[in-house]
Each structure stands twice: as C-alpha cells, then as structure tokens.
Amino acid sequence: MEVRKLIAPEFRVTVGSYEIKGGIGVECFSAKSSKRDWGIITFFPELEELIHIKEADAAKIELGYGDDYDTLLDGYVRKNGSGILIRDDSVKLEKVLFKATFLDASPQDIIRYVLAQADIYDYELSNYDYGKKAVVSVEQKNGLETIAEVNTVWGISQPYFFKNKRFYWGSKENQDEIYVLEEDNSILSLKKYGTMWEAETVAIPWIHHSQMIEIRHSRFYGMAEVEKTVIKTDHRGAVHMYISFKGGNQDV
C-alpha cells in the first residue's frame, strides 16, 4: 500500500497566464449533489494591482506538496475584481438552451446530443440499458436542466458531474487507493448533522466526492462514500478540509 506523507500543503492557482502560490485566500467546494464545482480566490492587497484577469480565462486550483499536486478544480473565471469565482465546465452546459423533441431515444442518446451542443466530447456515461422513449420533449431548458429532465423522465437518479474536465453520468473515475482516516491522526473532529457526517481533517489533496474512504473513529467505524468536500484557507493561510459522508457500520 502506498504511503503519502501529509505535511502542510499549499495551493497552486493557475489563472490566465499567471501561476500563483502565495498572497491569496482560497475556498473550493465540490459535492456530488450540486452538479457543479466552484472555487473562490481572493487576492491579498499586494497582489490586487498586479493581477489582471479576464472573464472566462482558464483557471485551475491545485493542492499539494513539493511536486505532488492534485487538481481540485479545473474551469473558468466567472467574475473578477478583488477576487474571482471559478466554475467547472458546467458553465458550458448552462450556456446552451434547448427546445427540442427526441424520438425513439435512450437517456444516453439525449445526453450525448446535449454534450455535443455544448462542445463537450470527453465524457463517460453509464452503459446500462434503460430502454427508449418514443417521444421526449424539452422546452426552454439549458444543458444541465435537460440532463436533469432525462433523469426525471426515466425515473432514475444517476449522479452527473465534471472531474478534471471529463463529464460523468452514472459513472465515476476508477479508484486505485482507499484512504484511511483515523481519530487523533488525520481526523481533527467529527460531527453529525442529520444523516450526514462531517469530518474536519488534515488537508488531503487526493480525496474527492464519490470516492470511498475508510473511517476509524470512536463515533463511526467503516467504509463511506464521500458526498462533499470543502477545502479552504483561514486568515493565517492555514489549509482546512471538511469531508462529508453517510453510511458506516457504527453510528453512535
């Protein structure tokens, strides 16, 4: 089993022609249920007048150590000023509007059409046979709304999201490693909100939503699927990570 040493990580932000490692505050949000990931970058005063960023500039947020960085968000600038909002490729789906009727179509047929209209060709769709519908009409919906409508029409709840600029529907990246999070080691605190657990942990760049993790804690012990991650800096520049999940064998 591979062991990765967890030391104080740092953000590396690439926006337009700039690569920035200091003088910034960062917050990254990623959740299976949200269908879109986002990040906020704020510039310290010493950088504000030096950085010139345009709407729709390519942007990437990474977190790591030395030469071992992992991508948290790969997308585009949505606004600028004293800070910027970065959104993933879901912005492409929000820009295309559909008023169409699909005949004798499967969910995958419609989704492939939607992705093509948004100029998205890197995708992985479930190959499960849900059957075809004789007629499916879409009235003035954007790409994300149309994919949600596909789920509704077929009565399914397949998750869909972007990861590293690839679109997933009913599938996800292969997972080669399962990270073990332990009380008094990588887990700093563990709280429960309704059915959802939230672990504050040391910053672990390689954990993302929809992955399986193993929790070893006095309040929760077992395997769990990550529902959401939030990674952000505080006013001192320290990086904090919050991992939300359900499930497990012990719930006390």
Side-chain angles (χ1 to χ4, degrees), residues 63-102:
L63 183 70
Y65 322 86
D67 59 355
D68 189 6
Y69 279 82
D70 190 75
T71 300
L72 302 181
L73 178 61
D74 197 346
Y76 308 92
V77 172
R78 295 298 295 163
K79 66 179 181 180
N80 54 30
S82 60
I84 60 173
L85 171 68
I86 299 173
R87 288 278 310 279
D88 66 12
D89 280 62
S90 62
V91 297
K92 293 183 176 181
L93 290 172
E94 292 176 343
K95 289 179 179 178
V96 292
L97 195 64
F98 293 92
K99 182 179 181 181
T101 299
F102 300 92

Side-chain angles (χ1 to χ4, degrees), residues 17 81 128 148 227:
S17 60
Y128 185 84
E227 299 288 334

Side-chain angles (χ1 to χ4, degrees), residues 30-57:
S30 179
K32 183 170 64 173
S33 62
S34 74
K35 321 303 182 192
R36 52 179 72 84
D37 291 352
W38 55 265
I40 295 176
I41 309 296
T42 54
F43 298 109
F44 291 1
E46 59 267 27
L47 280 185
E48 274 190 47
E49 296 182 3
L50 301 177
I51 302 295
H52 304 286
I53 295 168
K54 303 186 299 295
E55 182 82 7
D57 271 351

Side-chain angles (χ1 to χ4, degrees), residues 74-136:
D74 197 346
Y76 308 92
V77 172
R78 295 298 295 163
K79 66 179 181 180
N80 54 30
S82 60
I84 60 173
L85 171 68
I86 299 173
R87 288 278 310 279
D88 66 12
D89 280 62
S90 62
V91 297
K92 293 183 176 181
L93 290 172
E94 292 176 343
K95 289 179 179 178
V96 292
L97 195 64
F98 293 92
K99 182 179 181 181
T101 299
F102 300 92
L103 303 177
D104 192 31
S106 69
Q108 292 89 336
D109 292 333
I110 299 175
I111 292 171
R112 288 189 191 98
Y113 176 81
V114 170
L115 294 174
Q117 298 307 302
D119 199 29
I120 296 169
Y121 299 98
D122 188 3
Y123 55 81
E124 185 176 309
L125 310 181
S126 168
N127 58 12
Y128 185 84
D129 184 2
Y130 291 98
K132 295 185 176 184
K133 299 289 186 184
V135 180
V136 177

Side-chain angles (χ1 to χ4, degrees), residues 107-108 111 123-128 130 147 150-151 156-161 167-172:
Q108 292 89 336
I111 292 171
Y123 55 81
E124 185 176 309
L125 310 181
S126 168
N127 58 12
Y128 185 84
Y130 291 98
I147 295 172
V150 167
N151 278 357
I156 54 181
S157 56
Q158 288 287 19
Y160 51 95
F161 52 85
F167 178 81
Y168 293 88
W169 178 83
S171 62
K172 58 185 178 180

